[in-house]
């Protein structure tokens, strides 16, 4: 970590059980890059995950798994702070306090809430509605100003800014307004080529999975749906496989040209992409397997991260309680 006066960044990720290409290209690669430029804090948001995951053992397992994945993909506990949200329970207290400045109407119009009402209609729990308030609490607890995320989190970040403004307006200037930052791939489409890559849709490429799984996922990808025959010219600008090649080699323009002129077929282009993704993530997969074999080490890193943040969380909570009139 750099000095306390440098800009602080914060981001969170759910312990979903997998890390997919969207998570890595859209967010984690920025976490890794920015840990050298800022004082970086990264959080595995298990409280948020409770809105959808109700099996305690599974949640525990996935939390450690996500920590091992992030470390394997390049987070360095010497250069950033990695912790589990529930290890700093102040997050839930601050979420309650922020909830009292947040109109219900703001939460009801959140796109992810509307989406969840559709995808888990039998479990529209209150946590789903309050989800963005807890997210705002995560960020402002550390007065972070920069938040690396994928585009799907932009609405949540806008809501965090509105909550900050509402709080500062009522109780005096307390929190800075956080700003989202994106990578070159803010929205990665899934293997269906239509929807955002997402575990709940089931259209993912799981970057730390065994090579055979990655290959199957990549080969299942939908390409240019108008290219019916091998000899038809392709449209690389609408083909998700061609677009993803951008991130796995300098020669992507040549690959796109091959598709456009029908010099190459979709299957060739997919096999090449699968080879490149497997090769790119092979060292991370090795580190991931090593870390999963040393659970005590992973737990130690997470405990140290939460302990390091204790004084910052305590200072924020003291300031907020004082300003709000809590004794
Ligand atoms: P989560 O766990 O859904 O996703 C983690 C990160 O991955 C990004 N991402 C994508 N980026 C590009 N293309 C995709 N297909 C794609 N899918 C996921 C997400 O944008 C995110 O950056 N609500 C958050 C977690 C959170 C948080 C926070 C984030 C809780 N508190 C505070 C920032 C700050 C979430 O569920 O992310």
């Amino acid at each position: 970590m750099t000095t306390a006066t440098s800009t602080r960044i914060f981001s969170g990720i759910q312990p979903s059980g997998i890390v997919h290409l969207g998570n890595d290209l859209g967010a984690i690669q920025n976490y890794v890059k920015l840990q050298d430029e800022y004082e970086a804090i990264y959080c595995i948001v298990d409280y948020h995950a409770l809105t959808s995951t109700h099996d305690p053992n599974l949640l525990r397992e996935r939390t450690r798994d996500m920590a091992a994945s992030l470390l394997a993909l390049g987070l360095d506990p010497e250069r950033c702070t990695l912790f589990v949200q529930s290890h700093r329970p102040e997050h839930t207290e601050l979420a309650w306090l922020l909830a009292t400045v947040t109109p219900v109407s703001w939460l009801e119009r959140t796109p992810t809430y509307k989406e969840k009402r559709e995808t888990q209609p039998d479990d529209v729990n209150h946590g789903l509605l309050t989800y963005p308030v807890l997210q705002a609490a995560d960020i402002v607890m550390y007065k972070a100003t920069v938040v690396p995320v994928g585009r799907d989190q932009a609405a949540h970040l806008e809501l965090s800014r509105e909550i900050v403004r509402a709080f500062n307006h009522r109780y005096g200037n307390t929190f800075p307004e956080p700003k989202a930052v994106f990578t070159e791939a803010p929205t990665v489409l899934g293997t269906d080529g239509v929807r955002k890559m997402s575990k709940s849709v089931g259209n993912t490429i799981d970057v730390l999975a065994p090579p055979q799984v990655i290959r199957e996922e990549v080969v299942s990808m939908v390409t240019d749906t108008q290219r019916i025959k091998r000899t038809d010219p392709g449209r690389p600008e609408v083909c998700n496989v061609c677009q993803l090649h951008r991130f796995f080699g300098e020669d992507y323009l040549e690959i796109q040209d091959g598709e456009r002129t029908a010099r190459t077929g979709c299957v060739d282009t997919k096999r090449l992409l699968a080879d490149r993704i497997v090769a790119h993530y092979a060292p991370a997969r090795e580190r991931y397997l090593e870390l999963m074999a040393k659970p005590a080490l992973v737990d130690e890193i997470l405990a140290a991260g939460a302990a390091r943040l204790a004084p910052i969380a305590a200072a924020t909570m003291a300031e907020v309680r004082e300003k709000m009139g809590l004794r």
Side-chain angles (χ1 to χ4, degrees):
M1 279 210 302
T2 49
T3 63
T5 51
S6 65
T7 305
R8 198 174 274 156
I9 69 169
F10 182 97
S11 199
I13 187 163
Q14 291 206 48
S16 61
I18 59 154
V19 175
H20 60 68
L21 198 56
N23 296 135
D24 191 45
L25 296 181
I28 298 169
Q29 289 193 1
N30 243 357
Y31 301 176
V32 174
K33 175 167 157 253
L34 297 174
Q35 66 185 342
D36 290 320
E37 296 169 31
Y38 296 103
E39 182 189 337
I41 303 173
Y42 299 122
C43 180
I44 301 166
V45 296
D46 55 349
Y47 283 142
H48 279 107
L50 285 173
T51 57
S52 309
T53 307
H54 305 315
D55 176 335
N57 289 326
L58 194 62
L59 182 60
R60 248 188 298 276
E61 226 171 78
R62 287 178 170 183
T63 300
R64 188 188 284 134
D65 194 287
M66 182 52 79
S69 303
L70 292 170
L71 293 166
L73 287 165
L75 291 197
D76 175 356
E78 299 291 319
R79 292 183 287 154
C80 72
T81 301
L82 176 65
F83 78 111
V84 177
Q85 191 182 29
S86 66
H87 294 178
R88 288 261 54 93
E90 295 92 332
H91 285 235
T92 48
E93 182 186 354
L94 187 55
W96 173 259
L97 302 180
L98 295 181
T100 65
V101 302
T102 308
V104 176
S105 59
W106 291 1
L107 300 174
E108 282 171 337
R109 66 168 196 237
T110 310
T112 37
Y113 174 63
K114 290 191 197 155
E115 206 178 283
K116 288 282 179 182
R117 269 197 323 210
E118 305 284 317
T119 54
Q120 52 182 73
D122 301 329
D123 183 21
V124 186
N125 58 77
H126 186 268
L128 287 176
L129 184 66
T130 319
Y131 187 107
V133 184
L134 179 58
Q135 181 158 344
D138 296 340
I139 300 166
V140 304
M141 179 69 80
Y142 308 101
K143 301 196 176 179
T145 49
V146 174
V147 184
V149 281
R151 182 86 70 207
D152 63 329
Q153 295 299 312
H156 283 163
L157 257 291
E158 194 41 55
L159 196 50
S160 293
R161 295 161 68 84
E162 287 180 290
I163 293 172
V164 162
R165 286 197 282 271
F167 188 96
N168 289 348
H169 180 71
R170 189 175 290 173
Y171 295 107
N173 203 20
T174 309
F175 299 119
E177 285 185 32
K179 166 173 121 250
V181 291
F182 304 110
T183 64
E184 297 288 305
T187 304
V188 175
L189 296 182
T191 49
D192 53 2
V194 183
R195 283 180 292 180
K196 180 193 78 166
M197 189 176 286
S198 154
K199 178 160 185 212
S200 54
V201 176
N203 60 358
T204 59
I205 296 169
D206 306 356
V207 297
L208 298 176
Q212 194 44 36
V213 172
I214 296 182
R215 282 182 208 286
E216 280 160 19
E217 288 168 340
V218 175
V219 167
S220 79
M221 285 177 80
V222 174
T223 52
D224 174 2
T225 48
Q226 281 181 25
R227 190 176 182 198
I228 313 292
K229 297 197 301 294
R230 166 69 178 77
T231 48
D232 289 344
R235 296 172 305 155
E237 56 289 351
V238 300
C239 170
N240 193 22
V241 177
C242 288
Q243 291 304 317
L244 285 179
H245 265 289
R246 247 170 219 281
F247 305 102
F248 296 96
E250 300 288 315
D251 56 349
Y252 69 89
L253 288 175
E254 212 175 295
I255 290 168
Q256 297 193 349
D257 191 58
E259 287 281 306
R260 199 175 285 112
T261 55
R263 201 170 61 240
T264 46
C266 293
V267 176
D268 309 325
T269 312
K270 287 201 255 192
R271 287 210 180 110
L272 183 61
L273 182 64
D275 287 344
R276 289 184 175 186
I277 293 178
V278 166
H280 178 86
Y281 288 103
R285 177 168 159 78
E286 206 171 300
R287 284 193 294 274
Y288 164 76
L289 293 174
E290 276 166 28
L291 284 160
M292 287 306 282
K294 293 182 196 157
L297 173 67
V298 176
D299 292 351
E300 210 176 283
I301 291 169
L302 294 172
R308 204 183 300 165
L309 296 173
I312 311 176
T316 301
M317 292 316 300
E319 182 185 1
V320 171
R321 289 189 199 113
E322 166 68 24
K323 285 191 166 154
M324 296 184 86
L326 301 167
R327 305 173 51 107

